[in-house]
Amino acid sequence: MLPEGAIKFGFYEASKRFFARLQGVSDPTKISPWAQFASGGLGGIAAQFTAYPIDTLRFRMQCELVKGGVHGNQLVSKTARQMWASGGVGSFYRGLFWGLVGQFPYSAIDLTTFEYTKRWLVRRNEGNGLRGKDAQPGAVAIAAIGGFSGAFGASVVWPLNMLRTRLQTQGTVVHPRTYNGIVDVTRQTLQGEGVRGLFRGITPNLIKVVPAVSITYVVYDKSKHIFGLE
């Protein structure tokens, strides 16, 4: 989580500055909406691509946990060996393309919603006579904005993420079914579970995402102030 978050926000900030230079503006907050959207998406896919092998290994480890089976480092080693034997390096990147396809809009929607909602709140505070730091949202407001933007983005792309997770965990103890690719997993899911199957697990995911993203955005926002990155 730590390197993935650092890569996501670092690449996001770098992308905003790149588009600012490209569009001839000195302030990254003045870039066009499409550049803001693209910056968020690029940050997300950079982080996803870097962390994908570890995520795949983690998902498969969770699916291999059985009573009386191996645990800890033994489980890590066993799962990694099984993945390598079944497809070499490619098994660690199974479903990567569709993971990136889902990650780009998620991060773009998440970060863009956060940025524009925060700016709207700042303008409202300034309209009420507040200036400078006093107009900036506090930690509670930032947490609320971050939680909303994260939940909104996750809900929009959930079907793609769910299908990608099934590709990653196919052939395990918990999910023994296998697929030929994204078309096959979509077809089997719709045939067996209907459209509702595409949204299976979204509620517990949001319960996890909202507080985690809220805290992440508070740390991100306050860190920008501390390091003078506004």
Side-chain angles (χ1 to χ4, degrees), residues 77-130:
S77 178
K78 176 186 174 184
T79 306
R81 288 198 307 269
Q82 288 177 339
M83 290 174 63
W84 183 267
S86 68
V89 175
S91 64
F92 289 85
Y93 288 93
R94 190 168 291 157
L96 173 64
F97 175 76
W98 292 104
L100 297 181
V101 169
Q103 185 64 33
F104 184 92
Y106 163 68
S107 291
I109 293 169
D110 177 20
L111 287 161
T112 300
T113 301
F114 175 82
E115 288 285 356
Y116 281 111
T117 305
K118 179 186 173 184
R119 292 178 199 176
W120 169 81
L121 188 56
V122 170
R123 288 196 300 270
R124 194 189 71 167
N125 290 341
E126 290 175 342
N128 292 331
L130 300 176

Side-chain angles (χ1 to χ4, degrees), residues 1-210:
M1 182 64 184
L2 178 61
E4 186 176 358
I7 292 169
K8 175 182 176 178
F9 287 111
F11 209 91
Y12 168 59
E13 291 293 335
S15 297
K16 286 198 299 181
R17 283 161 173 73
F18 167 77
F19 283 117
R21 290 194 298 270
L22 192 66
Q23 296 179 349
V25 295
S26 59
D27 186 353
T29 64
K30 304 299 182 184
I31 59 177
S32 63
W34 73 262
Q36 166 64 47
F37 190 85
S39 296
L42 290 171
I45 63 174
Q48 176 87 324
F49 182 82
T50 304
Y52 201 85
I54 301 300
D55 280 343
T56 302
L57 178 61
R58 174 173 59 87
F59 285 141
R60 295 186 68 88
M61 284 173 54
Q62 291 171 337
C63 293
E64 293 289 359
L65 280 172
V66 293
K67 187 175 182 180
V70 296
H71 294 80
N73 291 335
Q74 285 184 315
L75 179 59
V76 175
S77 178
K78 176 186 174 184
T79 306
R81 288 198 307 269
Q82 288 177 339
M83 290 174 63
W84 183 267
S86 68
V89 175
S91 64
F92 289 85
Y93 288 93
R94 190 168 291 157
L96 173 64
F97 175 76
W98 292 104
L100 297 181
V101 169
Q103 185 64 33
F104 184 92
Y106 163 68
S107 291
I109 293 169
D110 177 20
L111 287 161
T112 300
T113 301
F114 175 82
E115 288 285 356
Y116 281 111
T117 305
K118 179 186 173 184
R119 292 178 199 176
W120 169 81
L121 188 56
V122 170
R123 288 196 300 270
R124 194 189 71 167
N125 290 341
E126 290 175 342
N128 292 331
L130 300 176
R131 293 292 181 269
K133 291 183 178 181
D134 292 333
Q136 295 295 318
V140 174
I142 291 294
I145 296 170
F148 168 74
S149 67
F152 179 48
S155 299
V156 170
V157 303
W158 179 253
L160 265 178
N161 284 336
M162 192 279 296
L163 294 172
R164 183 256 303 174
T165 300
R166 290 193 171 184
L167 284 174
Q168 288 179 300
T169 58
Q170 62 181 303
T172 60
V173 173
V174 175
H175 195 78
R177 184 175 295 179
T178 58
Y179 311 99
N180 295 325
I182 190 67
V183 175
D184 189 37
V185 68
T186 303
R187 178 183 59 79
Q188 290 194 42
T189 299
L190 290 175
Q191 286 181 348
E193 305 169 57
V195 176
R196 291 182 61 183
L198 297 175
F199 292 90
R200 182 177 296 277
I202 190 172
T203 299
N205 180 71
L206 291 179
I207 292 174
K208 178 192 74 171
V209 163
V210 171

